Amino acid sequence: MNDNVEKPWGGRFTEPTDAFVEAFTASVTFDKRLYAHDIAGSVAHATMLAKVGVLTNDERDAIVAGLAVIKTEIETGKFEWSVALEDVHMNIEARLIENIGDVGKKLHTGRSRNDQVATDIRLYLRDELQECVAELTRLQTALVNMAEQEAGTIMPGFTHLQTAQPVTFGHHLLAWFENLKRDHGRLTDCAKRINVMPLGAAALAGTSYPIDREYTAQLLGFDAPTENSLDSVSDRDFAIEFVSAAALIMMHLSRFSEEIILWASAQFDFVELGDSFCTGSSIMPQKKNPDVPELIRGKTGRITGNLMSLLMLMKGQPLAYNKDNQEDKEPLFDTVDNLRASLRVFADMIPALSARHDNMREAARRGFSTATDLADYLVRQGVPFRDAHEVVGKAVRLGVDTQRDLAEMSLEELQGFSDKIQQDVFDVLTLEGSVAARDHLGGTAPAQVRAAVQRARQWLAAN
Ligand code: ARG
């Protein structure tokens, strides 16, 4: 880093910046990642300035060519970033002037770093958001594929983590698909509010040059220029919205991770997680730990923390731009990196999960999971539901005392609880009968799961 640089804003200063203050106020160490979007914004700005006659076409061409050279310098590691030049914007501008001379000084006409940085973050986030959406749909596709395979697999469904009623594993997987579908909607909705262009707001009040904001917006692929210059340089809602959507996604991935961790334990033993997604222990030779879902569960905290950081960052700021806003970048970048990585590894991990059908079935059988089916059977024989509930409760009591499931009792034993019970009761006490009976939209019956898989595939094809 070359620190003996004159500041682009040095004109009104007589004393140099304190060395520690210089480092304290600089953002280049982290905002240099915006370089490509910063350059794209500058190219569009210069092109617009030439269109309205503020720059000549030759000046525009020199600037555009100079920026292309800088991009290459950065991408080949030849660019020297300087903390004294504070941020990505001034580093690139200073280098442009160094390379192409005085004409480079005209680039910043009718612009401020305030509208520049607001534009850069929107361009950056617009791209990253698309990558996140792509990983999200890849994960959703993996879930739908597995749900189709597991449409008829019986497992216990839980409430309070106690065996409740039998469900199909495919149905359970599609529950997560629905969660992620809402997340997908939140991301794509947030994208609309990201894609508006602050350039032209300049420092805060707009500029006295005859700029054409619609044109610049069009060049950069924005839907429209922003409406109000003060709002343009101060608004970070779009970043908060994104991080909020990310926090919800991570919350979902964390819950799903928690299930995978439980299912992979010796106590449940419902799934086997592929070796490539686990690690061993340095002391206990028998261990195979589900590190990937654990780490995703862990990362949920930092992304929720990033959301809190951004909300608190904004809450005290008067209009318009304040230096506080420089603090928006690290939480945002951290969120993007960890969300993308988590979605990616999750999408890869789903096909590496294999279900242990026998263990799932056995767990459903052991937990009196068809007790509600027996109550519903009695209701169909004319017994009021509350009385039926009482009768079945007594039968379960006997099952607990004698360590038997309801389906393992004799007809005579069951008739001891209610004379309405006939031989056909055993049809509803089976696990297959129980899930097949829940045959309505949103129910767990294998036929419903297969229909839901078809709808999910249509949704995936359209999104
Ligand atoms: N590095 C600054 C940021 O990230 C750029 C804008 C600085 N503007 C200013 N007036 N100091 O927010």
Side-chain angles (χ1 to χ4, degrees):
M1 299 251 181
N2 167 19
D3 287 352
N4 294 317
V5 196
E6 259 190 63
K7 311 286 188 210
W9 41 252
R12 62 103 67 221
F13 288 77
T14 51
E15 288 173 29
T17 319
D18 174 90
F20 188 72
V21 168
E22 189 166 270
F24 183 74
T25 53
S27 54
V28 66
T29 51
F30 51 86
D31 68 14
K32 64 184 175 191
R33 92 147 71 179
L34 295 173
Y35 80 90
H37 299 103
D38 192 71
I39 288 173
S42 291
V43 167
H45 180 66
T47 307
M48 181 279 291
L49 289 179
K51 176 175 184 261
V52 300
V54 173
L55 292 180
T56 67
N57 287 348
D58 287 350
E59 287 169 336
R60 173 200 62 201
D61 292 346
I63 288 172
V64 170
L67 288 168
V69 169
I70 291 174
K71 193 163 186 230
T72 310
E73 287 178 354
I74 295 171
E75 286 169 356
T76 55
K78 296 201 183 87
F79 192 91
E80 269 192 60
W81 296 100
S82 158
V83 170
L85 286 167
E86 212 174 302
D87 54 27
V88 61
H89 323 293
M90 295 204 302
N91 267 269
I92 290 176
E93 190 190 349
R95 179 66 177 156
L96 182 70
I97 295 165
E98 198 171 63
N99 284 353
I100 69 171
D102 279 355
V103 60
K105 295 183 181 168
K106 296 194 175 184
L107 170 62
H108 212 53
T109 312
R111 183 176 80 167
S112 153
R113 279 183 295 151
N114 298 351
D115 58 345
Q116 193 180 350
V117 70
T119 303
D120 290 4
I121 309 170
R122 286 174 183 273
L123 288 171
Y124 159 81
L125 195 52
R126 184 176 76 182
D127 286 354
E128 292 292 341
L129 185 140
Q130 288 317 318
E131 298 298 326
C132 294
V133 169
E135 293 294 2
L136 184 63
T137 46
R138 205 162 65 79
L139 168 56
Q140 290 178 282
T141 305
L143 284 173
V144 171
N145 291 341
M146 191 167 192
E148 186 166 46
Q149 279 168 32
E150 306 290 350
T153 306
I154 289 177
M155 69 182 287
F158 299 95
T159 60
H160 314 267
L161 202 56
Q162 307 288 317
T163 299
Q165 293 173 354
V167 295
T168 48
F169 188 34
H171 192 55
H172 191 113
L173 293 166
L174 288 181
W176 289 119
F177 175 83
E178 289 298 316
N179 280 261
L180 298 177
K181 207 166 80 182
R182 293 192 294 276
D183 290 326
H184 187 284
R186 273 183 280 271
L187 281 182
T188 50
D189 192 59
C190 154
K192 295 180 215 154
R193 282 174 295 280
I194 293 175
N195 203 29
V196 289
M197 188 199 69
L199 272 182
L204 75 166
T207 175
S208 55
Y209 297 96
I211 55 172
D212 183 346
R213 299 187 65 217
E214 274 80 13
Y215 181 63
T216 320
Q218 204 186 315
L219 290 176
L220 289 169
F222 281 114
D223 293 333
T226 51
E227 285 283 339
N228 178 294
S229 65
L230 296 168
D231 179 50
S232 305
V233 293
S234 98
D235 169 35
R236 295 294 183 272
D237 295 2
F238 65 93
I240 299 179
E241 265 190 74
F242 172 81
V243 177
S244 162
L248 277 172
I249 296 173
M250 292 302 292
M251 180 272 286
H252 290 146
L253 297 187
S254 181
R255 294 183 64 184
F256 196 177
S257 292
E258 173 66 9
E259 295 198 323
I260 293 171
I261 294 161
L262 285 170
W263 293 343
S265 69
Q267 287 67 27
F268 275 79
D269 206 11
F270 283 3
V271 296
E272 169 96 36
L273 185 50
D275 282 0
S276 52
F277 290 85
C278 297
T279 63
S281 158
S282 54
I283 175 168
M284 297 167 283
Q286 84 282 14
K287 293 275 275 188
K288 178 172 154 186
N289 297 326
D291 292 44
V292 168
E294 286 176 324
L295 203 49
I296 288 170
R297 190 177 59 186
K299 282 178 184 294
T300 305
R302 70 195 274 174
I303 291 190
T304 305
N306 290 339
L307 174 60
M308 295 306 126
S309 296
L310 289 180
L311 286 168
M312 292 307 107
L313 171 67
M314 298 312 293
K315 73 173 276 296
Q317 290 193 48
L319 294 177
Y321 176 86
N322 301 280
K323 184 76 166 179
D324 313 39
N325 280 346
Q326 184 163 289
E327 288 285 309
D328 62 357
K329 288 169 204 63
E330 287 163 295
L332 181 63
F333 295 163
D334 185 73
T335 301
V336 163
D337 291 344
N338 284 291
L339 177 68
R340 259 181 82 170
S342 300
L343 285 169
R344 177 185 163 168
V345 75
F346 221 108
D348 291 343
M349 181 174 68
I350 293 300
L353 276 179
S354 47
R356 293 194 185 282
H357 298 162
D358 291 352
N359 292 345
M360 285 181 164
R361 195 173 196 294
E362 182 55 22
R365 203 189 60 76
R366 266 188 279 114
F368 300 102
S369 65
T370 56
T372 312
D373 296 271
L374 178 55
D376 290 344
Y377 171 89
L378 289 169
V379 168
R380 285 195 296 277
Q381 314 302 314
V383 180
F385 183 77
R386 277 293 154 229
D387 292 341
H389 188 286
E390 172 82 17
V391 164
V392 179
K394 290 189 171 133
V396 167
R397 183 73 252 161
L398 176 70
V400 171
D401 291 344
T402 59
Q403 294 188 6
R404 282 177 307 158
D405 190 47
L406 296 174
E408 289 165 344
M409 294 176 190
S410 68
L411 181 60
E412 291 69 36
E413 270 175 310
L414 289 170
Q415 282 172 336
F417 297 108
S418 165
D419 56 11
K420 296 278 166 27
I421 296 177
Q422 302 300 319
Q423 182 63 36
D424 62 356
V425 74
F426 292 103
D427 298 340
V428 307
L429 291 182
T430 65
L431 297 169
E432 282 71 15
S434 174
V435 293
R438 283 156 175 80
D439 191 17
H440 53 76
L441 180 72
T444 193
Q448 291 297 331
V449 174
R450 290 189 186 98
V453 163
Q454 292 321 311
R455 291 194 299 274
R457 287 205 196 290
Q458 278 164 19
W459 183 91
L460 284 167
N463 282 279

